[in-house]
Amino acid sequence: MHEWALAEAVVSTVSQIAIREGLRRVTEVRLKVGELQQIEIEILRFALSELKRSSLLEEAEFIIETEKAELRCRVCGHKWFFRRNEVDEDVAEAIHFVPEIAHAYIRCPRCGSPDFEVVRGRGVWLESVEGVK
Amino acid sequence: MADPRVSVIEDRLKKVNKVLSVSSGKGGVGKSLIASTLSLALADKGYEVGLFDIDFTNPSTHIILNAESVSPTEENGVIPPRVRGLKYMSIIYYSSGHVSPLRGVDVSNALIELLAITRWGETDFLVIDMPPGIGDAVLDMIRLVKKANFLVVTTPSKLAFETVRKLASLLLEMRIPIIGVIENMKMRESPFIQEQVEKMGLRFLGEIPFDYSLEEAIGDVNKLLKTMFAQKVKELAEKIALQTLGD
């Protein structure tokens, strides 16, 4: 599962931050998960709970906030939200693995341009790490 | 606060012995053909080889290898499928031949994503087919893949070499290992490129004559491996393997 690879990345990054900040244990990790990548939150949560064992994160609580994927056309300035049900299953899966591939399939609903930016809600982002020194 | 994907990249490449980034300042010099054939040649010698096409807007190694009917498997990330013995990864699995117009920030994000999720496993050589130019992909390789060694491709053209000179100068300035320079598509005797390469203190790995039969071999690996081009790349592969594994 792709979520496991991302969970591993989160645990690895938090561990590095904890060591850098001199934390003996991590108590809280806040994550933002963008809807463009269509992460299965429950799988991510399960993977995190498995991977945190025997690490500085063992007692950490993961607070996961989802963020709508907002796109903005660079040509006409139109803003819109990505909705999974508006793309085919295969396309949704491709975007799940590499969100940038949205540029191969999605066009601005107003002017038809593929030149848009993901203003927010792309993928997994680490917001904060709390712990005890 | 932080992008969690970046910290896991080193771990994903832990079991990769050597990363060979086939690059050039200019397009159309034969990078993809050299990267593909070099990968096949190294695999023929018994090495475990991965080929990663990171020319995201214009991938082409899948056409050279006729690798359009395979796809990666999911297992705690993504495991590249085998194509002619190579672990082969390309954005084509996800773009399916659609045009992917990506700006720099998107190229970086796609590269980080694929480096973070792809599980190469035990690999002697990971050959990277780089996009042309000195842009995001080169800078990201330097930033994210600390063990990257660059293999620079030029043609006999002064125009191509001028871009190679700039790329090599950047790599030298940043103290990034350069395996050497290959002169591709040689059409007449001229010491110009070799002299220029050696003047820069770089290794001139060799030249590959222009091969008129090559175009016909694209998409047919058996035919490709029988070309004079492939024979030359095999000789270079021997040299590159000895040189890099001896480092």
Side-chain angles (χ1 to χ4, degrees):
Chain A
M1 301 297 274
H2 180 228
E3 280 76 1
W4 278 82
L6 294 173
E8 244 181 274
V10 169
V11 170
S12 163
T13 307
V14 173
S15 300
Q16 285 176 14
I17 291 171
I19 291 166
R20 197 176 65 217
E21 301 293 323
L23 303 178
R24 279 188 293 114
R25 57 190 175 90
V26 177
T27 52
E28 184 191 279
V29 177
R30 282 184 181 269
L31 291 175
K32 203 169 253 186
V33 177
E35 286 186 353
L36 184 61
Q37 197 158 22
Q38 312 146 65
I39 296 292
E40 295 281 353
I41 300 291
E42 285 318 307
I43 298 174
L44 179 68
R45 210 180 271 286
F46 177 69
L48 289 167
S49 69
E50 290 290 310
L51 293 169
K52 73 177 186 178
R53 288 184 186 166
S54 310
S55 77
L56 292 171
L57 289 78
E58 191 151 19
E59 295 166 31
E61 183 191 357
F62 287 92
I63 298 170
I64 301 175
E65 184 192 337
T66 56
E67 186 175 49
K68 284 201 173 302
E70 187 180 12
L71 314 177
R72 190 183 73 86
C73 179
R74 286 193 173 99
V75 177
C76 73
H78 180 65
K79 284 184 180 177
W80 75 102
F81 288 104
F82 166 78
R83 290 188 182 85
R84 185 183 173 144
N85 59 6
E86 290 174 2
V87 295
D88 292 345
E89 194 57 35
D90 288 355
V91 172
E93 189 170 302
I95 295 172
H96 169 61
F97 283 104
V98 186
E100 286 61 44
I101 221 64
H103 292 272
Y105 301 102
I106 295 176
R107 298 291 179 263
C108 169
R110 188 157 81 183
C111 75
S113 171
D115 187 10
F116 58 84
E117 63 175 317
V118 181
V119 182
R120 59 195 172 97
R122 180 203 172 275
V124 179
W125 186 258
L126 187 59
E127 284 283 286
S128 66
V129 175
E130 302 286 333
V132 178
K133 288 203 177 182
Chain B
M1 183 187 187
D3 182 345
R5 300 169 302 164
V6 175
S7 75
V8 87
I9 291 174
E10 207 170 313
D11 198 49
R12 294 280 184 259
L13 297 172
K14 203 167 53 189
K15 292 177 183 164
V16 174
N17 191 357
K18 295 288 172 189
V19 176
L20 313 177
S21 300
V22 180
S23 53
S24 178
K26 199 175 184 309
V29 300
K31 281 185 301 299
S32 299
L33 270 159
I34 289 178
S36 304
T37 314
L38 175 64
S39 301
L40 293 164
L42 289 167
D44 268 359
K45 290 183 193 301
Y47 295 113
E48 186 70 85
V49 182
L51 173 62
F52 185 13
D53 189 336
I54 69 162
D55 192 347
F56 295 144
T57 51
N58 286 303
S60 60
T61 52
H62 63 290
I63 298 170
I64 296 166
L65 298 173
N66 192 16
E68 296 187 56
S69 58
V70 291
S71 55
T73 49
E74 276 185 73
E75 199 182 306
N76 293 349
V78 164
I79 299 176
R82 292 273 178 181
V83 174
R84 295 291 298 220
L86 309 175
K87 300 173 188 175
Y88 178 63
M89 196 64 188
S90 167
I91 202 163
I92 199 75
Y93 301 136
Y94 308 106
S95 62
S96 304
H98 288 79
V99 58
S100 313
L102 301 179
R103 285 181 181 261
V105 64
D106 302 317
V107 169
S108 290
N109 256 323
L111 180 60
I112 292 170
E113 196 72 36
L114 287 172
L115 285 170
I117 65 172
T118 307
R119 294 181 174 271
W120 294 99
E122 296 279 353
T123 304
D124 296 306
F125 292 100
L126 176 58
V127 178
I128 314 264
D129 183 25
M130 301 284 294
I134 309 170
D136 295 85
V138 170
L139 295 171
D140 279 330
M141 278 304 291
I142 293 170
R143 178 170 70 103
L144 302 166
V145 182
K146 303 292 179 212
K147 56 171 86 168
N149 297 268
F150 281 73
L151 187 60
V152 183
V153 181
T154 184
T155 67
S157 161
K158 285 178 182 152
L159 301 179
F161 188 73
E162 185 51 29
T163 68
V164 159
R165 187 198 310 278
K166 286 181 181 140
L167 172 64
S169 301
L170 173 79
L171 296 172
L172 287 169
E173 185 187 332
M174 297 181 81
R175 297 177 192 275
I176 307 298
I178 302 173
I179 301 161
V181 179
I182 296 173
E183 184 181 7
N184 192 24
M185 302 184 197
K186 184 120 180 174
M187 284 179 282
R188 62 177 182 85
E189 278 306 309
S190 163
F192 174 74
I193 297 291
Q194 183 167 359
E195 283 172 6
Q196 295 298 311
V197 168
E198 286 168 354
K199 206 185 277 180
M200 290 188 79
L202 299 173
R203 214 172 253 144
F204 180 76
L205 290 168
E207 56 191 44
I208 304 173
F210 191 93
D211 185 342
Y212 288 94
S213 68
L214 199 51
E215 187 62 28
E216 296 237 324
I218 290 173
D220 183 338
V221 171
N222 291 333
K223 216 172 189 178
L224 173 67
L225 291 175
K226 285 182 193 143
T227 59
M228 177 262 290
F229 169 84
Q231 293 311 310
K232 289 287 177 187
V233 174
K234 282 177 196 170
E235 290 168 24
L236 291 170
E238 184 84 53
K239 208 184 256 188
I240 290 163
L242 281 174
Q243 188 183 317
T244 54
L245 294 174
D247 282 349

